[in-house]
Amino acid sequence: MSLEQHAIIIILAPLVGSLLISLFGGLHRRLSYLLLVACLGISFASTIATLRLVAARAAIGPLHYYLGDWPPPYGIELVIDPLNALVLTMIAGISLLVAIYSKEMARRDNPDRLHHYYTLFALLVAGLLGITASGDVFNIYVLTEISALASYALLARGRGFAYYATFKYIIMGTIGASLYLLGVGYLYIKTGTLNIAELPTFINSSGLVDSVSIRVAFILIMVGLWIKMAFFPLHGWLPNAYTRAATTTSCLVAPLMTKVSVYVMIRVMLGVFTLPYIYHVMGWNRAVVWLASLAIVAGSIGALAQTNIKRMLTYIIVAEVGYMVGGAWLGNAAGLTGAIYHIVSDGLMTACLFMAVGAITYKTGDSSLEAMRGVFRRMPVTAALFVVGALAMIGIPPTCGFFSKWYLIQGGLVAGHYGFVGALLLSSLINAVLFFRLFEIGYYAPFDTEGTPPRGHGTTVVDEAPFSMLMPLLISAVMIIVVGLSTSRIVSGLIQYSLPAGL
Amino acid sequence: MKKTALLIIAVLGILLLRAAEDLPFWGDPQSPASVHLSDYYLEESYEETSVPNIVTSVLADYRGYDTMFETVVIFCAGITVLIVLRRTHRRRAKVISPRPERPGADIILQTAARLLVPMMQLFALYVVAHGHHSPGGGFQGGVILGSSLILLALSYDIQMALHRFKEKLVLLFSAGGVLLYAAIGLACLFLGRNFLAYGAWAALLGISEPEAHSHGMLGVEIGVAITVLCIMFSLYIDLASGGDLDEGL
């Protein structure tokens, strides 16, 4: 098999893995876990191989993989360029970490049907990877359905009102997907093609550039994707659905789902409609950046009001979606670089924070602010890694969170959009308040350990989360710093090539 | 809330109406969708795949990758319903209690069902196999097969249908159908071609490439039919009994 076959193995490994888990996972307690880790490991190895391949030929052009050997536009193709190679690596890496992390927690949360839980886990990852690798707008829809369906099932398997929260998400998610599909339908009827590489020339041809239905298609696709990524004010479904979910589910879904929708938005903007069309024909980029600024402020203020750490993190996700949408719509190189870089860095930060909170919940059975009491003494490693994630979220160098904010703010300044810059700075400030409050509770607040008086010294027993949880958490924290330190390589070696020429 | 909804619907309606003015006329042979790709499929597909039904060749070959994931969507939906409804460890008050007393078995219904079920299944197999030449294929045939089992469960009861087709087997085959699809594609990969390039089978089977495409499509259609059959039945038994598989509607 040639090296290019890695492109399809990325998607097939979790797909075939999920089928095997469903067939054989019930036979033995540990088998489904091992199968999951194995198939995601293969997928991750393939993304690394593809990333190297794409990076080596970044200046030449993207990697095309024709499914069924049918050349586009007659068949479907996967197109891997530096942009989605980066996102694919992020998705495969984080899902592998979460899979390893799920060893103890998933078994506790799923006393029955663990293998079906893992089947859906792998299907969700297969869907997300497929969306990212695809070069066909309808294929993206089909794979969105898979990842969405799997995420509904996983989220519904949570606590308390999880069913109700998920039901809301199903309604919103279905509306979002339907709007996207309707938009794709209009594009097809006006251009006759679904291939992303072919669409821009049709759309920008003299016959179609003024077409009303193409504009309507653009609006429908954008609004559909905004619902999917929980862009303010369409974010109502997210906090409840993600908070109520079981730990492993939220660790998987929170860092990946919204980020993939942001990726699709950027792909549609750059690859299907192209920036000149969006800025000159549509011309509401400033309004969208204002909306993004509002999303950042609203998400941050929402996070301030929460008394549950997980819920607080979900509001931070809403704010972070504002970062990426705003950066992409600024329409300059720095803003787009920031938005693309932030997809990766936000994925890592969110994964690190959710896994740390999950480890604390695993030990205390609670995810309220009170659960943080004494955490630095009881779970020193988890707490230290939580601090790394939090510092990244605030934007302290050398974590990757600092560099994405750097590019985004630079983009805001170049575009002269000071509202967006102000919102970014305000959000950093609020994040600092949020996380230092948690550190304060964790470090100073009195806490009980059986029998010892509060503020007791020396008697506290260190009670860390199991190794299978700490190891992925550690890797995610290290990656936050590694990605931060290799920012210039990522930007000049990968992201630079995915920006449209002449920007 | 209602006013907001009305406003959103009105805005969406205006958008769609504005767009509709701009769309090509119904059945317009000069519309972009009819001239860009259709000509190629109409002229080349029989030569390339030896399947006269162009819908089938587009669905199962040119866009076979999409169709595989459509089958995965169906599989995923089945597992979703299963994982939500069919939980073994739980305390759940019967939502539909008390259920009406079941009147005794209806002999007319049961006899009719017994006559119909084999015919339906035979016809379903024809629909699957004849998808290459006439409307039909794996999805349609699978649905007919699934409804034959549902008819059995409706006219007798779920227990009886489950006795004929155990739940374990249902789940096994639902994954097996998708796996068959993926395996046919993966084999092409190991034979040195791209995923789902059925032409790779030609050398192995000793037939021409177009014939290999035709056979490949038949194989994946059978996979689709198996998955659709099993998921249809699984959805019915889980939904009708609230996940307990004790009694149906």
Side-chain angles (χ1 to χ4, degrees), chain A residues 124-143:
Chain A
L124 173 61
V125 178
L128 294 176
L129 291 167
I131 294 171
T132 311
S134 183
D136 185 285
V137 277
F138 182 73
N139 189 239
I140 289 178
Y141 169 76
V142 174
L143 286 146

Side-chain angles (χ1 to χ4, degrees), chain A residues 415-496:
Chain A
H417 205 297
Y418 298 105
F420 183 62
V421 176
L424 282 172
L425 294 174
L426 179 73
S427 146
S428 299
L429 203 66
I430 292 181
N431 280 353
V433 172
L434 285 170
F435 285 110
F436 278 103
R437 183 176 58 168
L438 287 179
F439 299 162
E440 192 192 340
I441 297 174
Y443 219 90
Y444 296 112
F447 64 100
D448 295 325
T449 46
E450 293 92 327
T452 54
R455 291 175 227 281
H457 289 287
T459 46
T460 323
V461 188
V462 173
D463 185 19
E464 263 298 350
F467 179 71
S468 64
M469 295 177 103
L470 283 182
M471 201 258 288
L473 183 56
L474 176 70
I475 295 175
S476 72
V478 170
M479 281 314 289
I480 286 178
I481 294 169
V482 170
V483 169
L485 290 177
S486 43
T487 303
S488 63
R489 279 185 62 195
I490 294 175
V491 171
S492 63
L494 294 167
I495 296 179
Q496 183 204 328

Side-chain angles (χ1 to χ4, degrees), chain A residues 31 39 56 74 115 120 134 144 146 167 204 214 254 304 316 350 356 360 371 390 413 427 453:
Chain A
L31 195 59
C39 75
Y74 309 111
H115 61 295
L120 291 166
S134 183
T144 309
I146 292 179
F167 185 70
N204 288 304
I214 296 269
L304 265 180
I316 293 181
T350 316
I360 295 169
L413 291 176
S427 146

Side-chain angles (χ1 to χ4, degrees), chain A residues 1 5 23 65-70 74 112-113 116 136 138-139 146 157 163 190 198 211-213, chain B residues 22 32 36 40-41 48 61-63 65-66 69 73 82-84 86-88 172 189 193-195:
Chain A
M1 277 188 292
Q5 300 292 351
L23 283 175
Y65 185 90
Y66 301 160
L67 286 146
D69 277 339
W70 295 117
Y74 309 111
D112 59 334
R113 304 215 168 269
H116 284 143
D136 185 285
F138 182 73
N139 189 239
I146 292 179
R157 236 173 140 71
Y163 283 117
K190 290 302 283 186
E198 231 190 13
S211 157
V212 182
S213 48
Chain B
D22 188 37
H36 185 50
Y40 175 84
Y41 290 138
E48 288 181 344
D61 199 347
Y62 293 102
R63 297 190 69 89
Y65 181 65
D66 264 348
F69 281 109
V73 169
L82 191 81
I83 207 170
V84 170
R86 196 143 160 62
R87 311 185 76 161
T88 29
L172 215 66
L189 209 142
R193 301 280 291 273
N194 277 3
F195 184 63

Side-chain angles (χ1 to χ4, degrees), chain B residues 3-243:
Chain B
K3 278 181 185 154
T4 330
L6 189 70
L7 189 73
I8 293 170
I9 298 290
V11 170
L12 191 63
I14 291 168
L15 267 181
L16 295 185
L17 282 174
R18 289 277 289 130
E21 285 174 21
D22 188 37
L23 296 180
F25 287 111
W26 183 255
D28 180 4
Q30 290 309 312
S31 72
S34 312
V35 294
H36 185 50
L37 298 182
S38 302
D39 289 347
Y40 175 84
Y41 290 138
L42 288 172
E43 286 160 14
E44 306 291 331
S45 84
Y46 186 72
E47 304 249 312
E48 288 181 344
T49 66
S50 76
V51 169
N53 184 354
I54 296 158
V55 176
T56 301
S57 64
V58 172
L59 174 132
D61 199 347
Y62 293 102
R63 297 190 69 89
Y65 181 65
D66 264 348
T67 309
M68 181 180 80
F69 281 109
E70 296 286 2
T71 322
V72 176
V73 169
I74 291 169
F75 172 69
C76 190
I79 301 290
T80 300
V81 169
L82 191 81
I83 207 170
V84 170
L85 281 178
R86 196 143 160 62
R87 311 185 76 161
T88 29
H89 306 282
R90 60 173 175 172
R91 290 148 281 130
R92 186 177 65 95
K94 275 268 180 193
V95 189
I96 344 167
S97 63
R99 296 195 182 185
E101 277 292 309
R102 285 182 72 82
D106 189 325
I107 188 141
I108 298 176
L109 215 60
Q110 294 186 347
T111 314
R114 270 165 55 194
L115 279 172
L116 266 174
V117 167
M119 305 241 252
M120 283 173 82
Q121 293 183 341
L122 210 59
F123 180 65
L125 294 179
Y126 164 79
V127 170
V128 175
H130 219 252
H132 282 32
H133 300 273
S134 60
F139 289 98
Q140 296 86 334
V143 167
I144 301 175
L145 277 172
S147 41
S148 76
L149 286 176
I150 293 173
L151 182 66
L152 210 60
L154 275 171
S155 52
Y156 290 82
D157 56 10
I158 286 187
Q159 294 294 337
M160 188 268 186
L162 273 176
H163 182 69
R164 297 287 175 94
F165 197 13
K166 298 267 188 303
E167 198 205 7
K168 271 217 161 109
L169 277 180
V170 175
L171 296 179
L172 215 66
F173 277 107
S174 62
V178 188
L179 201 60
L180 177 62
Y181 201 139
I184 290 175
L186 263 173
C188 307
L189 209 142
F190 287 110
L191 291 168
R193 301 280 291 273
N194 277 3
F195 184 63
L196 287 175
Y198 307 130
W201 285 90
L204 205 68
L205 301 174
I207 47 178
S208 68
E209 278 223 4
E211 277 180 327
H213 278 276
S214 167
H215 288 5
M217 274 187 256
L218 184 64
V220 302
E221 294 272 17
I222 291 171
V224 171
I226 294 173
T227 296
V228 171
L229 149 74
C230 295
I231 295 298
M232 283 276 291
F233 184 54
S234 159
L235 287 180
Y236 170 77
I237 55 174
D238 283 333
L239 289 173
S241 67

